[in-house]
Amino acid sequence: EADIYQTPRYLVIGTGKKITLECSQTMGHDKMYWYQQDPGMELHLIHYSYGVNSTEKGDLSSESTVSRIRTEHFPLTLESARPSHTSQYLCASSEARGGRGNTIYFGEGSWLTVV
Amino acid sequence: GQQLNQSPQSMFIQEGEDVSMNCTSSSIFNTWLWYKQDPGEGPVLLIALYKAGELTSNGRLTAQFGITRKDSFLNISASIPSDVGIYFCAGSGNTPLVFGKGTRLSVIA
């Protein structure tokens, strides 16, 4: 069972606002990820990190940014939200080592609505 | 990049029926994973497979890692209403995990 926490779960904000989605995990996992998912649709990797001070962009281009200053914390920031950013954002983590290093565990997700 | 083909896209079944879904890849994978996602929630890991030919069960769920390392299937026996949701396969070789597009399962009581 994974211990990965996302806040807020639901957020409705106005266009142009800056938002930060928080993600924390208590498992000491080195790898962390952000996925974007529209309701009932496929998952798109937008950012990932293999450790502190390491961040990479994923397959789907995103205007969001991430930081990894502490192992357990991987926040995602949108400097100026737009309606096109409305989606569910899922944080995930995995161990770095061995064959199980690609087994990722998800948080409950953050639903963002930009009006 | 790597792609996964997951089928079927959706299924409507009667309660009590068995369900089968599968994923195929254009590349060889070292890991196959199966997740279930309920509406409004994050995906939950059901079964993880790390070895070609591996067959693993989790209650009424059974999944296998194909011997070619390019496919995997998930079976659900005696379906119940709470099996409703979206099931995702995921796999990886030496790159980040790739997800299938999901199988949407509806169970009719």
mmCIF file of all heavy atoms in Angstrom, chain A residues 39-68:
data_model
loop_
_atom_site.group_PDB
_atom_site.id
_atom_site.type_symbol
_atom_site.label_atom_id
_atom_site.label_comp_id
_atom_site.label_asym_id
_atom_site.label_seq_id
_atom_site.Cartn_x
_atom_site.Cartn_y
_atom_site.Cartn_z
ATOM 1 N N PRO A 39 -11.128 13.221 -17.589
ATOM 2 C CA PRO A 39 -12.027 12.193 -17.046
ATOM 3 C C PRO A 39 -12.196 10.995 -17.970
ATOM 4 O O PRO A 39 -12.577 11.142 -19.136
ATOM 5 C CB PRO A 39 -13.350 12.945 -16.857
ATOM 6 C CG PRO A 39 -12.942 14.359 -16.650
ATOM 7 C CD PRO A 39 -11.734 14.568 -17.521
ATOM 8 N N GLY A 40 -11.881 9.829 -17.457
ATOM 9 C CA GLY A 40 -12.071 8.586 -18.197
ATOM 10 C C GLY A 40 -11.118 8.370 -19.350
ATOM 11 O O GLY A 40 -11.290 7.419 -20.116
ATOM 12 N N MET A 41 -10.124 9.221 -19.446
ATOM 13 C CA MET A 41 -9.207 9.128 -20.579
ATOM 14 C C MET A 41 -7.853 8.581 -20.140
ATOM 15 O O MET A 41 -7.658 8.199 -18.991
ATOM 16 C CB MET A 41 -9.042 10.505 -21.233
ATOM 17 C CG MET A 41 -10.360 11.132 -21.679
ATOM 18 S SD MET A 41 -11.224 10.146 -22.912
ATOM 19 C CE MET A 41 -10.185 10.476 -24.340
ATOM 20 N N GLU A 42 -6.916 8.547 -21.098
ATOM 21 C CA GLU A 42 -5.624 7.958 -20.789
ATOM 22 C C GLU A 42 -4.770 8.882 -19.922
ATOM 23 O O GLU A 42 -5.047 10.071 -19.793
ATOM 24 C CB GLU A 42 -4.892 7.608 -22.086
ATOM 25 C CG GLU A 42 -4.656 8.801 -22.991
ATOM 26 C CD GLU A 42 -4.205 8.361 -24.373
ATOM 27 O OE1 GLU A 42 -3.112 7.766 -24.474
ATOM 28 O OE2 GLU A 42 -4.921 8.641 -25.349
ATOM 29 N N LEU A 43 -3.735 8.303 -19.355
ATOM 30 C CA LEU A 43 -2.811 9.032 -18.486
ATOM 31 C C LEU A 43 -1.652 9.579 -19.313
ATOM 32 O O LEU A 43 -1.083 8.867 -20.138
ATOM 33 C CB LEU A 43 -2.262 8.089 -17.416
ATOM 34 C CG LEU A 43 -3.298 7.577 -16.424
ATOM 35 C CD1 LEU A 43 -3.034 6.130 -16.085
ATOM 36 C CD2 LEU A 43 -3.260 8.418 -15.173
ATOM 37 N N HIS A 44 -1.312 10.819 -19.074
ATOM 38 C CA HIS A 44 -0.192 11.436 -19.773
ATOM 39 C C HIS A 44 0.857 11.898 -18.768
ATOM 40 O O HIS A 44 0.552 12.684 -17.871
ATOM 41 C CB HIS A 44 -0.664 12.640 -20.591
ATOM 42 C CG HIS A 44 -1.584 12.297 -21.711
ATOM 43 N ND1 HIS A 44 -1.152 11.696 -22.878
ATOM 44 C CD2 HIS A 44 -2.920 12.459 -21.841
ATOM 45 C CE1 HIS A 44 -2.184 11.515 -23.680
ATOM 46 N NE2 HIS A 44 -3.268 11.971 -23.080
ATOM 47 N N LEU A 45 2.094 11.427 -18.950
ATOM 48 C CA LEU A 45 3.188 11.842 -18.072
ATOM 49 C C LEU A 45 3.620 13.257 -18.437
ATOM 50 O O LEU A 45 3.957 13.521 -19.592
ATOM 51 C CB LEU A 45 4.359 10.875 -18.227
ATOM 52 C CG LEU A 45 5.597 11.152 -17.382
ATOM 53 C CD1 LEU A 45 5.294 10.982 -15.898
ATOM 54 C CD2 LEU A 45 6.744 10.236 -17.804
ATOM 55 N N ILE A 46 3.599 14.170 -17.471
ATOM 56 C CA ILE A 46 3.996 15.546 -17.753
ATOM 57 C C ILE A 46 5.318 15.926 -17.085
ATOM 58 O O ILE A 46 6.060 16.761 -17.616
ATOM 59 C CB ILE A 46 2.890 16.562 -17.378
ATOM 60 C CG1 ILE A 46 2.404 16.377 -15.947
ATOM 61 C CG2 ILE A 46 1.727 16.461 -18.355
ATOM 62 C CD1 ILE A 46 1.412 17.453 -15.499
ATOM 63 N N HIS A 47 5.640 15.337 -15.944
ATOM 64 C CA HIS A 47 6.917 15.608 -15.279
ATOM 65 C C HIS A 47 7.342 14.377 -14.486
ATOM 66 O O HIS A 47 6.499 13.611 -14.019
ATOM 67 C CB HIS A 47 6.811 16.773 -14.288
ATOM 68 C CG HIS A 47 6.454 18.082 -14.887
ATOM 69 N ND1 HIS A 47 7.341 18.857 -15.594
ATOM 70 C CD2 HIS A 47 5.278 18.778 -14.874
ATOM 71 C CE1 HIS A 47 6.739 19.973 -15.986
ATOM 72 N NE2 HIS A 47 5.489 19.940 -15.575
ATOM 73 N N TYR A 48 8.664 14.216 -14.326
ATOM 74 C CA TYR A 48 9.146 13.191 -13.426
ATOM 75 C C TYR A 48 10.484 13.610 -12.816
ATOM 76 O O TYR A 48 11.159 14.519 -13.323
ATOM 77 C CB TYR A 48 9.237 11.814 -14.089
ATOM 78 C CG TYR A 48 10.179 11.693 -15.259
ATOM 79 C CD1 TYR A 48 11.465 11.179 -15.103
ATOM 80 C CD2 TYR A 48 9.767 12.045 -16.544
ATOM 81 C CE1 TYR A 48 12.315 11.032 -16.189
ATOM 82 C CE2 TYR A 48 10.615 11.903 -17.625
ATOM 83 C CZ TYR A 48 11.887 11.390 -17.448
ATOM 84 O OH TYR A 48 12.727 11.242 -18.522
ATOM 85 N N SER A 49 10.824 12.934 -11.728
ATOM 86 C CA SER A 49 12.053 13.245 -11.009
ATOM 87 C C SER A 49 12.653 11.949 -10.498
ATOM 88 O O SER A 49 11.936 11.103 -9.956
ATOM 89 C CB SER A 49 11.755 14.171 -9.834
ATOM 90 O OG SER A 49 12.853 14.238 -8.946
ATOM 91 N N TYR A 50 13.959 11.801 -10.662
ATOM 92 C CA TYR A 50 14.633 10.599 -10.175
ATOM 93 C C TYR A 50 15.356 10.843 -8.861
ATOM 94 O O TYR A 50 16.059 9.971 -8.372
ATOM 95 C CB TYR A 50 15.591 10.061 -11.227
ATOM 96 C CG TYR A 50 14.905 9.322 -12.359
ATOM 97 C CD1 TYR A 50 15.618 8.929 -13.499
ATOM 98 C CD2 TYR A 50 13.557 9.020 -12.307
ATOM 99 C CE1 TYR A 50 14.984 8.255 -14.538
ATOM 100 C CE2 TYR A 50 12.914 8.346 -13.336
ATOM 101 C CZ TYR A 50 13.645 7.966 -14.448
ATOM 102 O OH TYR A 50 13.012 7.296 -15.475
ATOM 103 N N GLY A 51 15.211 12.042 -8.323
ATOM 104 C CA GLY A 51 15.818 12.333 -7.031
ATOM 105 C C GLY A 51 15.858 13.822 -6.786
ATOM 106 O O GLY A 51 15.437 14.622 -7.630
ATOM 107 N N VAL A 52 16.409 14.186 -5.638
ATOM 108 C CA VAL A 52 16.491 15.604 -5.278
ATOM 109 C C VAL A 52 17.266 16.373 -6.336
ATOM 110 O O VAL A 52 18.289 15.898 -6.849
ATOM 111 C CB VAL A 52 17.163 15.744 -3.895
ATOM 112 C CG1 VAL A 52 17.482 17.197 -3.591
ATOM 113 C CG2 VAL A 52 16.262 15.156 -2.813
ATOM 114 N N ASN A 53 16.732 17.531 -6.684
ATOM 115 C CA ASN A 53 17.312 18.447 -7.684
ATOM 116 C C ASN A 53 17.295 17.890 -9.105
ATOM 117 O O ASN A 53 17.957 18.439 -9.991
ATOM 118 C CB ASN A 53 18.736 18.846 -7.307
ATOM 119 C CG ASN A 53 18.771 19.683 -6.035
ATOM 120 O OD1 ASN A 53 17.874 20.486 -5.791
ATOM 121 N ND2 ASN A 53 19.799 19.488 -5.232
ATOM 122 N N SER A 54 16.560 16.819 -9.326
ATOM 123 C CA SER A 54 16.410 16.237 -10.658
ATOM 124 C C SER A 54 14.967 16.371 -11.110
ATOM 125 O O SER A 54 14.053 15.940 -10.399
ATOM 126 C CB SER A 54 16.789 14.754 -10.621
ATOM 127 O OG SER A 54 16.065 14.010 -11.585
ATOM 128 N N THR A 55 14.731 17.014 -12.254
ATOM 129 C CA THR A 55 13.386 17.063 -12.833
ATOM 130 C C THR A 55 13.507 16.936 -14.345
ATOM 131 O O THR A 55 14.459 17.449 -14.948
ATOM 132 C CB THR A 55 12.636 18.367 -12.499
ATOM 133 O OG1 THR A 55 13.353 19.481 -13.020
ATOM 134 C CG2 THR A 55 12.443 18.523 -10.998
ATOM 135 N N GLU A 56 12.527 16.259 -14.931
ATOM 136 C CA GLU A 56 12.508 16.049 -16.380
ATOM 137 C C GLU A 56 11.087 16.253 -16.875
ATOM 138 O O GLU A 56 10.125 15.993 -16.145
ATOM 139 C CB GLU A 56 12.951 14.637 -16.742
ATOM 140 C CG GLU A 56 14.341 14.250 -16.266
ATOM 141 C CD GLU A 56 15.437 14.914 -17.073
ATOM 142 O OE1 GLU A 56 15.151 15.441 -18.167
ATOM 143 O OE2 GLU A 56 16.597 14.905 -16.593
ATOM 144 N N LYS A 57 10.966 16.679 -18.120
ATOM 145 C CA LYS A 57 9.646 16.785 -18.737
ATOM 146 C C LYS A 57 9.222 15.435 -19.286
ATOM 147 O O LYS A 57 10.054 14.644 -19.757
ATOM 148 C CB LYS A 57 9.672 17.838 -19.845
ATOM 149 C CG LYS A 57 9.825 19.263 -19.326
ATOM 150 C CD LYS A 57 9.616 20.277 -20.411
ATOM 151 C CE LYS A 57 9.728 21.693 -19.880
ATOM 152 N NZ LYS A 57 8.654 22.013 -18.897
ATOM 153 N N GLY A 58 7.920 15.198 -19.230
ATOM 154 C CA GLY A 58 7.390 13.937 -19.703
ATOM 155 C C GLY A 58 6.998 13.986 -21.156
ATOM 156 O O GLY A 58 7.427 14.850 -21.911
ATOM 157 N N ASP A 59 6.137 13.036 -21.534
ATOM 158 C CA ASP A 59 5.758 12.901 -22.939
ATOM 159 C C ASP A 59 4.824 14.015 -23.401
ATOM 160 O O ASP A 59 4.852 14.398 -24.564
ATOM 161 C CB ASP A 59 5.055 11.556 -23.157
ATOM 162 C CG ASP A 59 5.931 10.401 -22.733
ATOM 163 O OD1 ASP A 59 7.157 10.487 -22.951
ATOM 164 O OD2 ASP A 59 5.391 9.425 -22.193
ATOM 165 N N LEU A 60 3.987 14.512 -22.488
ATOM 166 C CA LEU A 60 3.011 15.532 -22.850
ATOM 167 C C LEU A 60 3.539 16.894 -22.424
ATOM 168 O O LEU A 60 3.890 17.105 -21.261
ATOM 169 C CB LEU A 60 1.666 15.264 -22.174
ATOM 170 C CG LEU A 60 0.539 16.251 -22.496
ATOM 171 C CD1 LEU A 60 0.117 16.112 -23.952
ATOM 172 C CD2 LEU A 60 -0.651 16.035 -21.571
ATOM 173 N N SER A 61 3.602 17.793 -23.390
ATOM 174 C CA SER A 61 4.068 19.132 -23.083
ATOM 175 C C SER A 61 3.108 19.813 -22.112
ATOM 176 O O SER A 61 1.885 19.736 -22.274
ATOM 177 C CB SER A 61 4.165 19.944 -24.370
ATOM 178 O OG SER A 61 4.512 21.282 -24.089
ATOM 179 N N SER A 62 3.650 20.454 -21.105
ATOM 180 C CA SER A 62 2.811 21.107 -20.103
ATOM 181 C C SER A 62 3.418 22.458 -19.745
ATOM 182 O O SER A 62 4.643 22.613 -19.725
ATOM 183 C CB SER A 62 2.706 20.234 -18.852
ATOM 184 O OG SER A 62 2.029 20.907 -17.816
ATOM 185 N N GLU A 63 2.551 23.418 -19.460
ATOM 186 C CA GLU A 63 3.013 24.732 -19.049
ATOM 187 C C GLU A 63 3.322 24.779 -17.557
ATOM 188 O O GLU A 63 3.759 25.796 -17.047
ATOM 189 C CB GLU A 63 1.972 25.794 -19.421
ATOM 190 C CG GLU A 63 1.831 25.952 -20.926
ATOM 191 C CD GLU A 63 0.629 26.766 -21.328
ATOM 192 O OE1 GLU A 63 -0.308 26.896 -20.518
ATOM 193 O OE2 GLU A 63 0.606 27.259 -22.466
ATOM 194 N N SER A 64 3.110 23.688 -16.878
ATOM 195 C CA SER A 64 3.402 23.632 -15.459
ATOM 196 C C SER A 64 4.890 23.416 -15.230
ATOM 197 O O SER A 64 5.620 22.992 -16.137
ATOM 198 C CB SER A 64 2.606 22.492 -14.807
ATOM 199 O OG SER A 64 2.932 21.264 -15.424
ATOM 200 N N THR A 65 5.322 23.709 -13.995
ATOM 201 C CA THR A 65 6.702 23.453 -13.599
ATOM 202 C C THR A 65 6.701 22.663 -12.298
ATOM 203 O O THR A 65 5.700 22.660 -11.562
ATOM 204 C CB THR A 65 7.481 24.765 -13.388
ATOM 205 O OG1 THR A 65 6.816 25.538 -12.387
ATOM 206 C CG2 THR A 65 7.570 25.557 -14.678
ATOM 207 N N VAL A 66 7.796 21.997 -12.026
ATOM 208 C CA VAL A 66 7.924 21.215 -10.802
ATOM 209 C C VAL A 66 9.253 21.511 -10.145
ATOM 210 O O VAL A 66 10.167 22.067 -10.764
ATOM 211 C CB VAL A 66 7.814 19.694 -11.065
ATOM 212 C CG1 VAL A 66 6.423 19.304 -11.508
ATOM 213 C CG2 VAL A 66 8.856 19.263 -12.093
ATOM 214 N N SER A 67 9.368 21.119 -8.886
ATOM 215 C CA SER A 67 10.628 21.221 -8.164
ATOM 216 C C SER A 67 10.768 20.025 -7.249
ATOM 217 O O SER A 67 9.768 19.396 -6.862
ATOM 218 C CB SER A 67 10.680 22.516 -7.349
ATOM 219 O OG SER A 67 9.659 22.531 -6.370
ATOM 220 N N ARG A 68 12.012 19.677 -6.935
ATOM 221 C CA ARG A 68 12.266 18.531 -6.048
ATOM 222 C C ARG A 68 13.421 18.921 -5.120
ATOM 223 O O ARG A 68 14.572 18.603 -5.359
ATOM 224 C CB ARG A 68 12.619 17.295 -6.872
ATOM 225 C CG ARG A 68 12.677 16.028 -6.046
ATOM 226 C CD ARG A 68 11.352 15.343 -5.978
ATOM 227 N NE ARG A 68 11.366 14.188 -5.103
ATOM 228 C CZ ARG A 68 11.728 12.969 -5.494
ATOM 229 N NH1 ARG A 68 12.160 12.765 -6.735
ATOM 230 N NH2 ARG A 68 11.678 11.959 -4.647
#
